[in-house]
Amino acid sequence: MVYCKLVSIDGNIAKYIFGGSYKDLTGVFFVNKDDLSFNLTKMPQNSYVLVRHLQSMLSNYIDEIKKGYFPDKMSREI
């Protein structure tokens, strides 16, 4: 599983915390609405999440992000 929670939005960039469980949201990544890219800055401390799992999760929310809506919570069962 991948769990994410929105922390902040600064213009077209959203900051999320994430982890492999809802109790370990210690990783950090940023999503850019303009080019639909993401920048992983910190991996979770107590769980293991593959980058491709983040990409898979984000692909489920890509239409919302294109429209300028950053979901408060996102998740993906792997």
Side-chain angles (χ1 to χ4, degrees), residues 9-60:
I9 299 173
D10 184 17
N12 294 325
I13 298 175
K15 178 181 179 181
Y16 283 91
I17 53 175
F18 77 101
S21 73
Y22 66 90
K23 293 181 180 182
D24 181 37
L25 298 178
T26 55
V28 178
F29 71 93
F30 295 85
V31 177
N32 187 327
K33 178 187 77 78
D34 290 337
D35 61 5
L36 302 175
S37 65
F38 75 98
N39 181 17
L40 180 62
T41 58
K42 182 180 175 191
M43 291 299 285
Q45 294 175 355
N46 301 313
S47 60
Y48 186 70
V49 176
L50 295 174
V51 173
R52 67 176 179 247
H53 293 165
L54 279 175
Q55 292 170 324
S56 176
M57 181 199 63
L58 288 171
S59 70
N60 288 339

Side-chain angles (χ1 to χ4, degrees), residues 54-69:
L54 279 175
Q55 292 170 324
S56 176
M57 181 199 63
L58 288 171
S59 70
N60 288 339
Y61 297 92
I62 202 75
D63 289 334
E64 294 175 49
I65 295 171
K66 280 182 185 178
K67 294 176 184 174
Y69 173 72

